[in-house]
Amino acid sequence: MAVSDLLVMITVVILNRIAGIYFPFSFLFITPVCSLRTVLNHVIIGCSVWLTVVFTFDRYIAICCQKLKIKYCTEGTAAWVVGIVTILSCLKNAFWYFIFQPLYTINNIPWFCKMKLIFYTSPAWVAYDWICRISTSCLPFILILLFNALTVRHILVASRARRRLRAHSNGETQSDPEMEKRKKSIVLLFTISGSFLLLYLLLFINFLYVRIAKFSYFSGSNFNESNFILQEGGLMLQLLSSCVNPFIYAGTQRKFREELKNGVKYPLSRTVKLFK
C-alpha cells in the first residue's frame, strides 16, 4: 500500500499535474505519451484503491475469523493478492489508451489528449466508464463499509464476552493485552478506510453529475466553471488520500516507523563507511 501510494505521488502528481503546469510542451504531452500516462495513472490509482479494500478484508479476517487467519494472513497470500490486484488493474485500465485524440497537431506532431466525442455517445464506452468509476469508488465504498461493520460487530460482541469472562475468573476487570492489540488494529483500519471514504466521496459525486446531467469531463483550466471546480476538487481529494496514508502508517505502526528509520539510516551509514 505504501509503494502504490508513493507511485501515485510520482506519476499522477509529479509527472502529470506538476509537469502539466510547469512543462506543458515537454515530450510527456505528445498524444501517445499522454495517453500512456493516463493509463498508468488509472492503473496505479486502481491498485491503491483496491489494496485499501483488500487491507480492510485482511484486517476483518485477522480479527473475526481466527480459523482462516492462519491460512490466509501470510506473506505468500499477500504477495499473490498484490500481484492479482496489479494484473487486473492493468487489464481493466488498458482501454483508456484508445479514448483520446490530439488537441493540436503542430508540425505533424500530435499534442495533448482530448477525449473523443464517441466516449460520451457510444454505449460501449459509456458502459466502460461506469465500470471503471464504480470499480474505483462505489464498489470499494460498499466493501469497506461492509467489512468495517462486520468487524465492529464482532469486536463489540467479543469484547463484552471477554470482559465478563475475565471479571468472573479474576474477580475484577484487568487490562487485556489481546484487546489492546485489537484496538491498535482497529485504529489503523478505521483511519485508513475512513479517510478513503471521505476523500473519494466528491470524486464519485462528480462522476454521477457528469453522467446524469450529461456534462463532459473538463480539460484545461477554467476556474469560473462550477463543474470544473467540482472535478478538480474531487481529483485533489483523491490524491490527498494517497498522501495521507503513509503518514497514517507512520503514526500508528511501530514496525513501519522502525523500517522507515532503517531506510533513512542505511544510506547514511554506507556513506560514512565509504569515506572511512
Side-chain angles (χ1 to χ4, degrees), residues 136-196:
T136 306
S137 53
C138 183
L139 185 58
F141 261 62
I142 295 172
L143 292 177
I144 288 175
L145 286 175
L146 174 63
F147 293 138
N148 280 346
L150 294 174
T151 304
V152 168
R153 187 187 67 172
H154 175 85
I155 290 172
L156 291 177
V157 173
S159 298
R160 286 194 294 263
R162 193 176 182 89
R163 194 178 298 113
R164 287 195 300 266
L165 180 62
R166 290 179 63 85
H168 177 73
S169 60
N170 298 328
E172 58 181 1
T173 303
Q174 298 178 355
S175 61
D176 189 345
E178 179 63 25
M179 295 308 301
E180 291 297 325
K181 292 181 181 179
R182 291 187 180 185
K183 286 181 181 179
K184 291 181 180 179
S185 297
I186 295 168
V187 169
L188 178 61
L189 171 68
F190 280 97
T191 307
I192 292 179
S193 57
S195 67
F196 172 83

Side-chain angles (χ1 to χ4, degrees), residues 4 13 47 53 77 87 90 98 121 136 145 151 163 189-190 209 217 226 264-265 267:
S4 66
V13 177
C47 288
V53 175
T77 303
I87 292 172
C90 291
F98 306 101
T121 58
T136 306
L145 286 175
T151 304
R163 194 178 298 113
L189 171 68
F190 280 97
Y209 183 68
Y217 295 110
S226 58
V264 173
K265 291 179 180 178

Side-chain angles (χ1 to χ4, degrees), residues 34-46:
C34 178
S35 300
L36 186 61
R37 284 192 301 109
T38 302
V39 173
L40 187 61
N41 292 343
H42 281 86
V43 167
I44 293 174
I45 289 175

Side-chain angles (χ1 to χ4, degrees), residues 8-221:
V8 169
M9 296 299 99
I10 294 174
T11 59
V12 184
V13 177
I14 297 176
L15 296 181
N16 189 60
R17 312 295 292 186
I18 294 178
I21 296 173
Y22 296 101
F23 308 100
F25 283 94
S26 65
F27 76 98
L28 292 173
F29 293 90
I30 298 175
T31 302
V33 180
C34 178
S35 300
L36 186 61
R37 284 192 301 109
T38 302
V39 173
L40 187 61
N41 292 343
H42 281 86
V43 167
I44 293 174
I45 289 175
C47 288
S48 177
V49 169
W50 278 97
L51 286 177
T52 303
V53 175
V54 298
F55 167 80
T56 309
F57 178 73
D58 178 84
R59 293 299 86 196
Y60 164 72
I61 293 295
I63 295 173
C64 304
C65 307
Q66 295 300 314
K67 292 182 179 179
L68 291 177
K69 177 182 177 180
I70 299 175
K71 181 179 179 180
Y72 174 79
C73 298
T74 63
E75 293 184 6
T77 303
W80 273 102
V81 170
V82 171
I84 292 172
V85 168
T86 303
I87 292 172
L88 292 178
S89 183
C90 291
L91 293 176
K92 184 195 72 173
N93 293 293
F95 296 97
W96 283 101
Y97 184 86
F98 306 101
I99 291 174
F100 298 99
Q101 63 184 6
L103 185 61
Y104 307 107
T105 300
I106 304 174
N107 297 326
N108 293 325
I109 300 177
W111 287 94
F112 301 104
C113 288
K114 178 183 178 182
M115 283 187 172
K116 298 176 181 178
L117 183 60
I118 194 175
F119 178 73
Y120 300 100
T121 58
S122 169
W125 281 120
V126 171
Y128 177 71
D129 191 27
W130 273 98
I131 292 172
C132 288
R133 303 298 176 174
I134 289 175
S135 64
T136 306
S137 53
C138 183
L139 185 58
F141 261 62
I142 295 172
L143 292 177
I144 288 175
L145 286 175
L146 174 63
F147 293 138
N148 280 346
L150 294 174
T151 304
V152 168
R153 187 187 67 172
H154 175 85
I155 290 172
L156 291 177
V157 173
S159 298
R160 286 194 294 263
R162 193 176 182 89
R163 194 178 298 113
R164 287 195 300 266
L165 180 62
R166 290 179 63 85
H168 177 73
S169 60
N170 298 328
E172 58 181 1
T173 303
Q174 298 178 355
S175 61
D176 189 345
E178 179 63 25
M179 295 308 301
E180 291 297 325
K181 292 181 181 179
R182 291 187 180 185
K183 286 181 181 179
K184 291 181 180 179
S185 297
I186 295 168
V187 169
L188 178 61
L189 171 68
F190 280 97
T191 307
I192 292 179
S193 57
S195 67
F196 172 83
L197 294 174
L198 291 175
L199 296 176
Y200 270 77
L201 180 60
L202 189 60
L203 188 70
F204 184 64
I205 292 174
N206 177 68
F207 162 70
L208 294 178
Y209 183 68
V210 167
R211 285 304 176 185
I212 295 174
K214 303 297 182 181
F215 283 96
S216 60
Y217 295 110
F218 277 80
S219 60
S221 299

